Amino acid sequence: MAESVYTGKVRVLQRQLLVPERKEAALEELARSCAAAAEAGADLLTLPEMFCCPYESSRFGPEAEEEGGPVWRRCAELARSHGIYLSAGSVPERGEDGRVYNTAYVFDRQGRQIAKHRKAHLFDIDVPGGQRFFESDSLAAGSSVTTFDTEFGTMGLCVCYDIRFPELGRRMALAGARVILAPGAFNLTTGPLHWELVFRAQAMFNQCYALGTAPARDMAASYHSWGHTIAADPWGRVLAQMDEGDGVQLVELDLAEVEAVRAQIPLLRHRLPMDALACE
């Protein structure tokens, strides 16, 4: 992808929502969120991981839709009608191979799909005394590094557990990304330890903005999200962060800051390719 550079500002409304039990209710909330983003003057609305489906392995298969299905069409329609970019969190997608993926879509102001990322790293963990969860029991893994172009320049896209892998963020940055979007749902074990840390680290190492949009915490659900929707800046500082509750966060990203930081400490230019370093 040819690198594009933009040094203006982009306003992002991050929607940390309580995921409803019913898909119809989620789509109603989506419509309200898109209207709120447009009213706030946001250029981009971001949603959380599995925004229209409770985060339960048993729900992913029955709730999965093919690309172009009802949820996809509603996202496209709302992005177009409100004239905003929409990073539609992630949804369970039924692939052409019949398998189910945790898939993130992005739509432009005309309602056109401009990015699609299937979660590449599946969350299979077993922490003694903490969380046990195996996404591979119900989901297949994607295999792409995803970047996309906007009027603001190039952005990167990944899903939740993907953000923990330094090389994925680096490859997005090397492909021109000035902003990394990551819908995610860290839990009450991993969230307090690592949520803020990994977003600050990806932002600092790649000298870009890193935005994580999470579901609000619902203690009545089987999976308890940490929440704490976050935006980190190119210095690795927390630009803004929410608590665990339902709500919104409006942040303004100054893309000139990306260029300034990369000029002052030129990490990407100074980096040595891994095959240039010998192991002794």
Side-chain angles (χ1 to χ4, degrees), residues 1 26 53 74 95 142 148 166 173 187 200-201 224 226 235 237-238 241 248 256 267 271 273:
M1 175 184 295
C53 172
R74 188 62 172 145
F148 59 97
N187 57 59
R200 293 183 65 191
H224 303 143
W226 172 239
W235 284 110
R237 300 173 297 200
V238 175
Q241 184 170 187
V248 298
L267 295 181
R271 63 177 284 276

Side-chain angles (χ1 to χ4, degrees), residues 81-207:
S81 63
H82 289 287
I84 59 172
Y85 286 90
L86 172 60
S87 175
S90 76
V91 299
E93 179 218 355
R94 178 77 60 185
E96 59 285 344
D97 56 5
R99 296 189 294 177
V100 177
Y101 296 87
N102 187 343
T103 300
Y105 296 111
V106 178
F107 301 88
D108 69 9
R109 297 184 191 274
Q110 290 73 44
R112 298 173 299 204
Q113 180 186 306
I114 56 173
K116 174 180 179 177
H117 178 80
R118 289 171 168 171
K119 188 174 186 177
H121 301 89
L122 297 183
F123 187 59
D124 286 1
I125 67 158
D126 190 356
V127 179
Q131 185 75 26
R132 185 183 189 280
F133 198 90
F134 283 79
E135 282 189 325
S136 61
D137 288 344
S138 54
L139 296 171
S143 58
S144 298
V145 177
T146 304
T147 59
F148 59 97
D149 286 332
T150 74
E151 67 201 72
F152 309 104
T154 303
M155 297 187 182
L157 180 66
C158 62
V159 177
C160 198
Y161 195 45
D162 286 335
I163 197 69
R164 287 181 174 271
F165 295 85
E167 60 272 27
L168 184 61
R170 176 53 52 85
R171 289 189 64 183
M172 287 189 276
L174 292 175
R178 265 64 183 170
V179 180
I180 294 175
L181 305 177
F186 279 33
N187 57 59
L188 300 190
T189 301
T190 60
L193 289 171
H194 299 146
W195 173 261
E196 179 180 316
L197 177 63
V198 296
F199 280 94
R200 293 183 65 191
Q202 285 283 15
M204 184 274 291
F205 283 126
N206 296 301
Q207 300 176 306

